[in-house]
Amino acid sequence: MALRTVDLDTFFHPRTVAVVGASDSGRKPNTAMTNKIVRWADVGGAEVLFVNPTRDSVAGRPCAKSLSALGRPVDLVAILVGDPLPVVAEAIETKARYAVIFAAGFAEVGAAGRKLQDDLEALVASSDLHLLGPNTNLNAFEVFRDDLQGKAIALITQSGHQGRPIFQGQQIGIRLSHWAPTGNEADLEVADFVAYFAGLDDVGAIACYIEGFKNGRTLQLACDSAARARVPVVTVKVGRTEAGSSMARAHTGHLTGSDAVVSAAFRQFGVTRVDGLDELLEVSAALARTKPPSAAALRRLAKGHGGRVCVYSISGGTGAHMADLVAARGLELPTLGRATQEALHQWIPPYLRVSNPVDNGGAPSSDWRGSKILDAIIADPAVDLVLCPITGALPSMAGNLTKDLVEAAASTDKPVFVVWGSPVGDEPAYRETLCTATVPTFRTFGNAVLAAKAYFDHHRFVAGYRSPFRRRRTTGAGAAAAAHAILAPAGRHQSLSEAASAELLSAYGIPVARSQVCGSPAEAVRFARSVGYPAVMKISSPGIAHKSDLGLVRTGVRDDADVRRTYGALLATAARAAPEATVDGVLVAEQLAGIECAVGIAHDQLFGPVVLFGLGGVLVEVLKDVTFRIPPFLAPEARRMTGEIAGAALLHGVRGAPAVDIDAVVDVIMKVQRIAVELGGDIAELDVNPLIATAHGAFAADALVVRA
């Protein structure tokens, strides 16, 4: 329920650094690594100590034979040798606080490497030492520019090469403050650094390149800490495909997890997922450099409205192109007020459109009119963000336009986004004006619109966020005790009968369609009469999980005679289709009308029990219109699940059908979550399909529980 506390200030700002394997010999890799660490330590004011059993001095500095020979503990040990475990053991003995292992050949290379990493992890876990790596690089020892403005990006990567373009963002004025290359994460992991960076006042966004996560719960807790601190996290997460997952495992030895569940975890905790490294840099920079929307804008966002964008360009074609992209992302293009349009036409010819997009025709960008136009657009209360695409970087217009944009952005809390469309990127207006300011600047239309969407989504999310970890929910033990009694007769990996599964749901207060297992046609007729026709009849057997697939479910049973015929037919079909299965009888149930949904529990290799919601019925595995959440989550998150599926409109009524009781659906999701939390170790799978959602409630019409 809480992350461990790790003093990463000491890691990034040590007082003493020992370099084990220090070298000054020619062009050896250890020499370059030694020099880099020394430069980083010197900039940070740390004392550097060299250790090498074969040297008395390195680069004119004395060199100890071992860490023990230093005669004092150090804050950070940089291990440059190929066999690092003995050095780690010595670092523990000498009370070092942190160590870094650069060597590869651990979990990323197979079983032998996995065993070696297991030994390393056990060694570190038994001590107070914290370790970065193995299989990491020198990126933690980069020296960052200190002459750039605005809040910084803190970078976390599991591949040094993939982080390089983000680091190079400094060359175009984007400020960075930290780089954590986590490698195989034998100890320190992504979650430790996310939580640490979220607590730094100077960090405006956390940018991540992730191949896999060490632990699903620590990931949740770290992203929760960032959401509570209102610090955006932007992530490239590979492993969307089997090919990507395979490469990620080979690279870092991580389990990549189900991509659908990882995406759900990101949504649950407000993480912005992007695909490209250019997107990672530009979206992170935009979020770091901008202030939250106004209170009025946040209220509109909370009600489900899109962020309001005004597109301002020097070309009607450019404005039309950008407007398409903005609208396609679900953002709004509000019509500017009449007073604003009248003001704009003082400086823009009357035959050009100024309602939004605003087309100035080009000429006003070259003189005093440009700043007047921007001031009028920004002042319009319908505008939350201004987006100015500059496609033709003509010096006669772009020079003044970029200066006006920088000055306008400095005068307002509303974001001003600029697209510099030139593929060259060496123009003075770009290099000397935009790159020396903190105006979010993009090289493509798509990235600018993606960042605008991320800006509004992030602030909508954090404004309404409530942490599910702040207070641990306690519940009575009655439901869990009843559930354990129901589960007890079933063996490992065995399914419960539908009747027993429904009994378990009822123990947790989930409404279940009225049903009864009947041992004779006469009993079936009596019960069908009690619930009313038409009725549903099914085989009841713990050994038959998916009855519909075998023709063992009949709906629309219309009268007594039909019940008798169906009873015999179901038994005969079961005998042919599943001769080894034990049949308890025929289950007769009331037939409910409504929208067929599905709610369930599945186990993810990274997160453990996860809760599923979507459209149900026999086509659930074909349509796959489902979404996930990872416990714990609060009721507003369950409500968000109901709006995320493609068929969400069905729940709100279409073509004259009444809307379903969303509150009842949310209540079922929350109760299923409670089952996941309390019985997650006992249940391998829970499938409520269909859950019939009606205007007056939600009722489980079929259920399957499989023991772990």
Side-chain angles (χ1 to χ4, degrees), residues 280-335:
L280 182 62
L281 174 63
E282 294 185 354
V283 172
S284 298
L287 293 176
R289 290 174 160 185
T290 48
K291 295 179 180 179
S294 67
L298 285 173
R299 285 193 294 271
R300 289 188 76 260
L301 292 170
K303 293 177 180 177
H305 297 288
R308 298 175 299 180
V309 177
C310 180
V311 175
Y312 173 51
S313 71
I314 63 175
S315 160
T318 301
H321 186 184
M322 183 60 82
D324 268 350
L325 298 177
V326 168
R329 279 281 181 184
L331 302 172
E332 296 180 13
L333 289 158
T335 300

Side-chain angles (χ1 to χ4, degrees), residues 486-487 490 494-498 500-501 504 541-542 703-707:
I486 296 166
L487 288 166
Q494 286 188 350
S495 302
L496 273 64
S497 68
E498 181 178 341
S501 299
L504 188 147
S541 169
L704 171 67
V705 173
V706 181
R707 283 215 59 177

Side-chain angles (χ1 to χ4, degrees), residues 368-390:
W368 59 273
R369 292 173 290 176
S371 62
K372 297 285 187 182
I373 293 168
L374 279 167
D375 289 344
I377 292 171
I378 290 170
D380 193 296
V383 174
D384 299 325
L385 181 149
V386 178
L387 179 49
C388 181
I390 305 173

Side-chain angles (χ1 to χ4, degrees), residues 119-464:
D119 294 342
L120 176 64
E121 290 178 4
L123 183 63
V124 173
S126 67
S127 73
D128 293 327
L129 179 80
H130 283 298
L131 174 72
L132 182 69
N135 189 26
T136 184
N137 50 49
L138 291 168
N139 299 145
F141 304 109
E142 297 287 356
V143 175
F144 298 94
R145 287 179 59 176
D146 60 5
D147 61 336
L148 300 176
Q149 305 175 59
K151 288 203 169 189
I153 295 172
L155 178 61
I156 305 170
T157 66
Q158 291 173 337
S159 166
H161 192 65
Q162 290 293 88
R164 185 59 52 179
I166 315 305
F167 181 78
Q168 289 178 301
Q170 294 175 105
Q171 297 177 31
I172 54 173
I174 297 173
R175 186 172 166 230
L176 269 75
S177 60
H178 299 77
W179 190 348
T182 60
N184 283 15
E185 300 187 0
D187 176 36
L188 293 174
E189 57 179 300
V190 166
D192 293 314
F193 291 103
V194 168
Y196 171 70
F197 293 147
L200 299 180
D201 291 338
D202 213 26
V203 170
I206 302 168
C208 307
Y209 171 84
I210 306 298
E211 295 173 346
F213 296 103
K214 183 177 181 179
N215 184 290
R217 175 48 63 87
T218 58
L219 170 65
Q220 289 175 271
L221 288 163
C223 293
D224 169 73
S225 67
R228 285 189 281 112
R230 303 194 171 195
V231 176
V233 179
V234 185
T235 300
V236 170
K237 167 64 176 70
V238 300
R240 287 185 183 274
T241 65
E242 179 54 35
S245 296
S246 174
M247 183 62 190
R249 286 192 295 270
H251 193 188
T252 64
H254 282 293
L255 295 173
T256 55
S258 163
D259 191 68
V261 177
V262 169
S263 291
F266 287 165
R267 290 194 301 275
Q268 189 171 333
F269 292 98
V271 175
T272 298
R273 186 172 189 176
V274 297
D275 291 320
L277 298 178
D278 56 330
E279 296 171 348
L280 182 62
L281 174 63
E282 294 185 354
V283 172
S284 298
L287 293 176
R289 290 174 160 185
T290 48
K291 295 179 180 179
S294 67
L298 285 173
R299 285 193 294 271
R300 289 188 76 260
L301 292 170
K303 293 177 180 177
H305 297 288
R308 298 175 299 180
V309 177
C310 180
V311 175
Y312 173 51
S313 71
I314 63 175
S315 160
T318 301
H321 186 184
M322 183 60 82
D324 268 350
L325 298 177
V326 168
R329 279 281 181 184
L331 302 172
E332 296 180 13
L333 289 158
T335 300
L336 301 184
R338 178 176 296 179
T340 302
Q341 294 189 48
E342 289 175 354
L344 291 174
H345 273 311
Q346 296 179 54
W347 313 298
I348 296 174
Y351 55 83
L352 294 176
R353 174 174 170 168
V354 296
S355 57
N356 190 16
V358 176
D359 171 16
N360 75 10
S365 298
S366 304
D367 55 37
W368 59 273
R369 292 173 290 176
S371 62
K372 297 285 187 182
I373 293 168
L374 279 167
D375 289 344
I377 292 171
I378 290 170
D380 193 296
V383 174
D384 299 325
L385 181 149
V386 178
L387 179 49
C388 181
I390 305 173
T391 50
L394 298 173
S396 59
M397 292 186 227
N400 283 340
L401 178 55
T402 53
K403 290 176 183 176
D404 289 342
L405 287 163
V406 169
E407 291 175 4
S411 71
T412 179
D413 287 344
K414 294 181 180 181
V416 177
F417 286 7
V418 181
V419 180
W420 187 260
S422 165
V424 181
D426 63 357
E427 299 85 353
Y430 175 64
R431 284 283 173 180
E432 298 171 16
T433 303
L434 293 175
C435 292
T436 58
T438 57
V439 176
T441 302
F442 307 85
R443 301 307 301 274
T444 68
F445 283 20
N447 283 8
V449 178
L450 174 64
K453 181 73 162 60
Y455 168 80
F456 290 116
D457 285 350
H458 167 71
H459 288 290
R460 176 195 289 114
F461 179 84
V462 296

Side-chain angles (χ1 to χ4, degrees), residues 476-615:
H484 283 298
I486 296 166
L487 288 166
R492 294 171 59 192
H493 310 300
Q494 286 188 350
S495 302
L496 273 64
S497 68
E498 181 178 341
S501 299
E503 187 181 354
L504 188 147
L505 297 183
S506 295
Y508 278 88
I510 296 172
V512 176
R514 290 177 293 166
S515 64
Q516 179 177 304
V517 177
C518 300
S520 68
E523 186 181 0
V525 167
R526 286 194 298 272
F527 188 77
R529 288 175 180 172
S530 72
V531 297
Y533 291 111
V536 179
M537 298 179 66
K538 321 172 191 181
I539 280 293
S540 177
S541 169
I544 303 175
H546 300 289
K547 299 180 287 293
S548 295
D549 296 349
L550 300 176
L552 298 176
V553 177
R554 302 288 174 87
T555 61
V557 180
R558 61 186 183 275
D559 54 32
D560 295 357
D562 201 6
V563 169
R564 295 187 182 93
R565 283 193 299 271
T566 302
Y567 193 99
L570 288 173
L571 290 177
T573 302
R576 292 192 302 271
E580 303 300 321
T582 299
V583 174
D584 300 329
V586 174
L587 185 141
V588 181
E590 63 178 326
Q591 183 164 315
L592 300 172
I595 302 299
E596 292 190 347
C597 301
V599 183
I601 299 169
H603 275 262
D604 181 79
Q605 60 182 351
L606 181 63
F607 293 100
V610 299
V611 176
L612 169 151
F613 172 77
L615 290 185

